[in-house]
Amino acid sequence: MAGDDSKQGMESLMWGAVYGGGIIIMLGLYGVIQERIMSEPYGTEFFRASVFLVLCNRLVAIVYALGMILAKREELANKAPLWKYLVIAFSNVAATWCQYEALKYVSFPVQMLGKSFKMMPVMIWSIIISGKKYGFKDWAIALGVTWGVTQFLLTGETKAKHADKGSSVYGLLLLLCFLACDGFTSTFQEKLFKEHKTSKYNQMLYVNSGSAVVSAGSLFASGSALQAMGFCGDHPDFVMHAGTLSAAAVSGQFFIYSLVKDNGALALAATMNLRQVLSILTSYILYSHPISLLQVLGLVLVFAALFYKTYHGYAKPNQKGAKSDTSGAKPQPLGKAGDTKEDAEPVEIEMRQTQMVSASPTRRQP
């Protein structure tokens, strides 16, 4: 029995490393290509129709969700009222559009760090919508992250390489809109999971379908559809980049679901923190963004708070396990995080559902 447990533990660790590596590689690639598309010119032209990228990502995600529903023989019928999916779709498209648009005016590291601001909006939305309560440590960690991000934004260059001087203010406003919409999206999706018991693929299918309708409508209403198609015809390398962006997004989503299912939401949180660090370093190396000493200190504060948050999440189940052990109850396995929710990034590719998957006891077999 001990040998079987040891074998299972090594197997879980191995798959966790594979999934974690997949997340870092795929979302790292997603970040690099996203910055290339939105902040670097194709010849002498810049790509401007951000909502076209939203539509491409959603269409690929629909195909993936549909395939998984059919493979798992789940029901295709919607589990929640369609208007609720549509509400999430509107806020999701708005958040993603703001995220892409912001890259025209601020650098990728600023955009990436700006997402860490979402801790406060998500906590506030959770209090308003779900009546949640947070302890002193939660607010202290959120304050540390907010302080670090603010210090980073105020003590050095923040604008994108090819943006006009002073345009970073508009980029920061777009990031604020992203945070508000993204915080609402993640909180409302979680509420949908709890109230209607939807599967992750069912919700993924309907939310992405709604998002595709909203983004396609926006694309045609704004007159950007022909512009985007013309840009594709003029710049074949853009088509390759857009396709790779969508493929990396969906691949990253697969690895995220798998990691949460086998290793828990806390393993995802730690992986996402590491991914943020590596993505920011990669952006500085590839695109030569300037950085000041105070900005470096701001980065250190942000990631120290985030990693402490993850560590605290791991320590909590251990303490609970020790208490329950003395009373004869079976302690919760470390890393499964059945009662611990960690807010993951992802943002841009419908990853909020993964926080709910960690309760599943199923383990993937090699």
Side-chain angles (χ1 to χ4, degrees), residues 240-261:
M240 183 186 70
H241 289 158
T244 307
L245 185 76
S246 297
V250 173
S251 299
Q253 193 169 3
F254 165 77
F255 285 119
I256 282 175
Y257 286 148
S258 301
L259 181 66
V260 173
K261 184 177 180 181

Side-chain angles (χ1 to χ4, degrees), residues 267-330:
L268 173 64
T271 303
M272 285 299 197
N273 291 342
L274 181 58
R275 175 247 164 171
Q276 276 190 301
V277 174
L278 294 176
S279 293
I280 287 173
L281 290 176
T282 301
S283 179
Y284 273 113
I285 292 168
L286 288 181
Y287 298 103
S288 305
H289 300 299
I291 188 169
S292 68
L293 177 60
L294 286 174
Q295 283 183 309
V296 172
L297 293 176
L299 281 174
V300 171
L301 179 58
V302 169
F303 289 111
L306 290 175
F307 278 107
Y308 174 75
K309 179 178 167 135
T310 305
Y311 166 77
H312 178 63
Y314 272 114
K316 218 171 168 185
N318 267 346
Q319 293 167 0
K320 287 182 181 178
K323 287 179 182 176
S324 59
D325 212 15
T326 59
S327 63
K330 186 178 179 181

Side-chain angles (χ1 to χ4, degrees), residues 29-30 36 41 59 130 168 171 195 216 263 310 313 351:
L29 179 63
Y30 179 90
R36 167 65 188 90
L59 291 175
S130 305
S168 58
E195 288 183 354
N263 299 87
T310 305
M351 298 174 186

Side-chain angles (χ1 to χ4, degrees), residues 5-36:
D5 288 343
S6 177
K7 186 179 178 182
Q8 272 196 339
M10 286 300 295
E11 189 179 292
S12 177
L13 189 64
M14 181 190 72
W15 280 112
V18 170
Y19 297 144
I23 290 170
I24 290 170
I25 291 170
M26 288 298 111
L27 296 191
L29 179 63
Y30 179 90
V32 168
I33 296 175
Q34 181 186 196
E35 185 170 13
R36 167 65 188 90

Side-chain angles (χ1 to χ4, degrees), residues 97-113:
W97 179 83
C98 289
Q99 171 188 278
Y100 284 140
E101 280 291 301
L103 278 177
K104 297 177 184 177
Y105 308 101
V106 296
S107 65
F108 177 78
V110 171
Q111 185 226 53
M112 180 67 74
L113 270 184

